[in-house]
Amino acid sequence: MKILVTGGAGYIGSHIVLELCDEGYDVLVLDDLSLGNESSVDKRAEFIKGSTLDEQILKKLMPEVDGIIHLASFKSAGESMINPSVYTQNNIEGTLRLIDVMSSYNKKNIIFSSTAAVYGNPQYLPVDENHQTNPINYYGFTKLMIENTLGWYKDLKGFNFIALRYFNAAGYDKENRILNLENKPQNLIPIIMECAAGIRRSMQIFGDDYNTPDGTCLRDYIHVTDLAKAHINALRRINDNNTIFINLGTGFTHSVYDVIRTVEKITSKKINYSVTNRREGDPAKLYSSSSFAKKSLGWVAKNSDLENIIKTTWSIYKTRV
Ligand code: UFG
């Protein structure tokens, strides 16, 4: 079975490609390398440099694929509010082109990489799949728009799709098969890691006056290998037809201080930080219910305890010290 992974050279995509290859799938990776790295693509997979905006490439690849895992997109919520047009182009236009070409070649199976950002400010916790969708950043909107489009194509064209809504993805393959660091990371864990590795001198904590036990925000960190495994389960169930939107989180939370302390413990490095103003759009607490993922995919997170996330990440970053 041949699976096309768009964005398969990126941080999450390359981990999914590893899992697919380990499970014996034929894998074709399409990535324009704007964020990804060709050397992150497992040698068992075939790599093609290109964009989902390029209809000709899509038309060339489509006849040979049996299913698609679509990740190729930009993913920085903050940047999407400053420069929405690149998100319109990459996340919306690129995906619409992909869907269109899929449809014209009668290809119907797609796993879509979505995000907890589609929910916006949580109205209750843990967030489950019935929570209203009301994104508060443009990035979240682009993902929701594609979810909605896929819903229409399901009804109109018989598409089978599963949208996996990721919470806070982190960690690295435990066998150190992915070696590339994220370029200019915006997320907490790689930023703290850059401090531990001496790539940056210090970091900022965006607010410690939230209504949480230590005043910093609580998040649901999920190991990227667990995320990747969920995609395999989703592929196996893509034809079930009644499972569409699934949260991928653990149901557990950690504060910013928890993460800093765990990094200090595991790396034996002191993290320099200062506390600054709250970042716009940050909810105090965000975590997922994982019960639907368990029920619908038979999936539970097995690698996502914080120490394991930090250990697997440090084993890559420490080589840069
Ligand atoms: N944080 C800091 N300093 C930093 C970076 C982050 O204090 O330099 C804090 C944030 O304020 C937040 C926490 O660390 O409280 C986590 O922030 P991230 O930027 O790592 O992650 P977010 O929770 O903001 O968002 C991430 C993804 C989104 C996704 C969301 C789902 O970037 O795409 O998780 O939970 F939607």
Side-chain angles (χ1 to χ4, degrees):
M1 195 173 184
K2 194 162 211 170
I3 306 299
L4 170 64
V5 183
T6 72
Y11 164 62
I12 297 176
S14 58
H15 283 87
I16 293 172
V17 170
L18 277 184
E19 267 330 290
L20 286 165
C21 292
D22 286 353
E23 290 290 328
Y25 288 92
D26 270 348
V27 183
L28 192 55
V29 169
L30 177 68
D31 197 301
D32 66 2
L33 300 183
S34 56
L35 295 174
N37 213 306
E38 189 177 345
S39 61
S40 291
V41 178
D42 191 284
K43 295 287 169 278
R44 292 168 289 181
E46 185 183 344
F47 174 74
I48 286 145
K49 182 168 186 274
S51 165
T52 47
L53 289 160
D54 184 341
E55 197 174 337
Q56 292 317 314
I57 290 194
L58 294 175
K59 284 183 168 165
K60 202 165 149 228
L61 301 180
M62 203 54 72
E64 50 179 308
V65 306
D66 302 301
I68 291 145
I69 299 181
H70 174 49
L71 293 105
S73 67
F74 289 155
K75 60 165 188 152
S76 168
E79 180 192 53
S80 76
M81 300 296 273
I82 297 161
N83 196 2
S85 60
V86 293
Y87 284 74
T88 307
Q89 195 182 51
N90 223 6
N91 298 14
I92 298 179
E93 288 175 26
T95 308
L96 294 181
R97 206 148 300 167
L98 176 70
I99 290 172
D100 213 42
V101 175
M102 278 178 68
S103 181
S104 62
Y105 283 84
N106 209 23
K107 303 288 175 169
K108 299 188 171 173
N109 296 339
I110 178 166
I111 312 286
F112 177 55
S113 156
S114 190
T115 170
V118 298
Y119 294 116
N121 283 322
Q123 304 300 306
Y124 58 84
L125 289 164
V127 173
D128 61 25
E129 291 78 0
N130 296 319
H131 188 285
Q132 68 177 45
T133 49
N134 189 16
I136 55 166
N137 53 60
Y138 189 66
Y139 161 70
F141 167 78
T142 64
K143 292 288 180 174
L144 182 60
M145 201 207 135
I146 297 303
E147 286 190 355
N148 291 339
T149 304
L150 287 170
W152 280 100
Y153 273 71
K154 179 181 168 68
D155 293 342
L156 300 175
K157 294 283 181 183
F159 269 38
N160 301 309
F161 82 94
I162 297 179
L164 297 173
R165 294 170 170 167
Y166 309 158
F167 281 64
N168 292 56
Y172 270 80
D173 172 56
K174 68 174 189 304
E175 292 169 36
N176 295 353
R177 290 176 293 175
I178 306 292
L179 297 171
N180 288 302
L181 306 185
E182 281 195 271
N183 205 1
K184 296 208 181 98
Q186 313 270 339
N187 294 116
L188 181 67
I189 291 181
I191 286 174
I192 302 178
M193 281 294 160
E194 288 193 351
C195 293
I199 299 168
R200 71 168 75 207
R201 263 201 221 145
S202 67
M203 58 162 296
Q204 295 184 316
I205 294 179
F206 300 137
D208 68 353
D209 56 353
Y210 285 95
N211 183 20
T212 58
D214 67 18
T216 64
C217 293
L218 297 175
R219 291 289 181 277
D220 185 341
Y221 294 95
I222 170 133
H223 197 287
V224 67
T225 299
D226 284 330
L227 276 190
K229 287 182 187 296
H231 291 72
I232 308 289
N233 293 22
L235 265 183
R236 292 187 179 131
R237 288 167 169 81
I238 188 86
N239 290 312
D240 287 1
N241 231 15
N242 48 10
T243 304
I244 303 179
F245 307 106
I246 304 175
N247 286 354
L248 294 180
T250 66
F252 295 100
T253 59
H254 300 284
S255 72
V256 176
Y257 281 131
D258 288 338
V259 179
I260 291 177
R261 270 195 302 272
T262 307
V263 172
E264 288 185 329
K265 183 179 140 197
I266 285 166
T267 65
S268 303
K269 306 275 182 194
K270 174 100 189 66
I271 305 300
N272 295 319
Y273 60 81
S274 56
V275 178
T276 179
N277 294 336
R278 292 180 176 197
R279 188 173 66 177
E280 208 185 323
D282 270 347
K285 303 172 193 171
L286 185 63
Y287 57 100
S288 172
S289 159
S290 54
S291 54
F292 189 59
K294 187 173 180 192
K295 188 171 155 223
S296 56
L297 296 180
W299 172 89
V300 283
K302 291 186 178 153
N303 301 281
S304 295
D305 66 278
L306 186 58
E307 291 216 353
N308 188 48
I309 286 176
I310 301 301
K311 274 182 191 155
T312 55
T313 312
W314 181 236
S315 75
I316 304 304
Y317 275 79
K318 74 180 178 198
T319 63
R320 311 302 212 277
V321 173

